[in-house]
Amino acid sequence: FTGLAIGTGFERKYAVLKRLGATALPRRILIAGKTGAVLILQVVQAVLVCAFGLILGWHPAGTGLWAVLLIIIGTFAFGGLGLLLAGTVRAEITLAAANLIWLILLFAGGIAIPLSRYPGAAADLLRFLPSAALSDGLHQVLQHGGGLPVRPVLTLLVWAALALPAAARWFKWE
């Protein structure tokens, strides 16, 4: 999210995207391409992290297929949010806002502070953040050996279904 938003924001500032906008490249293809590039990078990172984890004695409890599904959907959700931010505000604002949003998602999404530490109603609401859905889903699959984590998958699908079209709709080349 953060790297994609900041990188794209500064590509806008330095008119890299303006030059791409002068070609026949539609916004939706740019959005898909940037999100796909992040997904490829994440696959490489996940393979390396999992390989080192296995070498060091990590034993995931569940199947990796559901984890892969969560990561793919999460990438599209966070990619859409990052590109929506980068494509609508100035690069300097993107830099600050992306870092602030990252911190909020880190602490309110159950990653740095478990959702069980929040009051009941707040925890129930925070479960619908994309970071909470991804974290919760990966925990269910890899730590507890659960099957398809339906609520996290649906939550991430909703975020992706809202963020990607919004980014494609409101993305500005300059």
Side-chain angles (χ1 to χ4, degrees):
F1 165 77
T2 307
L4 182 61
I6 293 170
T8 304
F10 280 94
E11 287 173 353
R12 275 184 61 221
K13 178 179 179 161
Y14 297 124
V16 173
L17 296 180
K18 180 179 178 181
R19 290 180 182 93
L20 284 174
T23 69
L25 180 70
R27 285 185 292 208
R28 68 182 187 285
I29 299 299
L30 175 73
I31 302 294
K34 285 187 155 294
T35 305
V38 170
L39 185 59
I40 290 168
L41 180 62
Q42 284 183 322
V43 167
V44 172
Q45 289 175 339
V47 167
L48 289 174
V49 167
C50 290
F52 284 119
L54 291 170
I55 289 169
L56 295 172
W58 173 59
H59 301 289
T63 177
L65 293 176
W66 298 129
V68 169
L69 176 68
L70 284 161
I71 290 169
I72 290 170
I73 299 169
T75 299
F76 287 113
F78 284 106
L81 292 170
L83 291 169
L84 177 61
L85 179 63
T88 55
V89 298
R90 290 188 359 221
E92 296 81 8
I93 296 171
T94 299
L95 177 64
N99 282 302
L100 177 63
I101 292 168
W102 176 78
L103 282 172
I104 291 169
L105 292 175
L106 178 70
F107 287 100
I111 298 169
I113 301 172
L115 291 179
S116 60
R117 290 218 166 145
Y118 291 96
D124 291 339
L125 183 63
L126 293 174
R127 288 191 201 295
F128 293 104
L129 289 174
S131 55
L134 183 59
S135 174
D136 186 38
L138 289 173
H139 278 117
Q140 286 179 35
V141 170
L142 297 175
Q143 188 175 14
H144 305 299
L148 176 68
V150 176
R151 188 202 42 80
V153 167
L154 290 176
T155 302
L156 289 170
L157 282 172
V158 168
W159 278 99
L162 294 173
L164 286 169
R169 165 71 176 89
W170 288 298
F171 190 89
K172 295 180 284 194
W173 294 99
E174 53 182 302

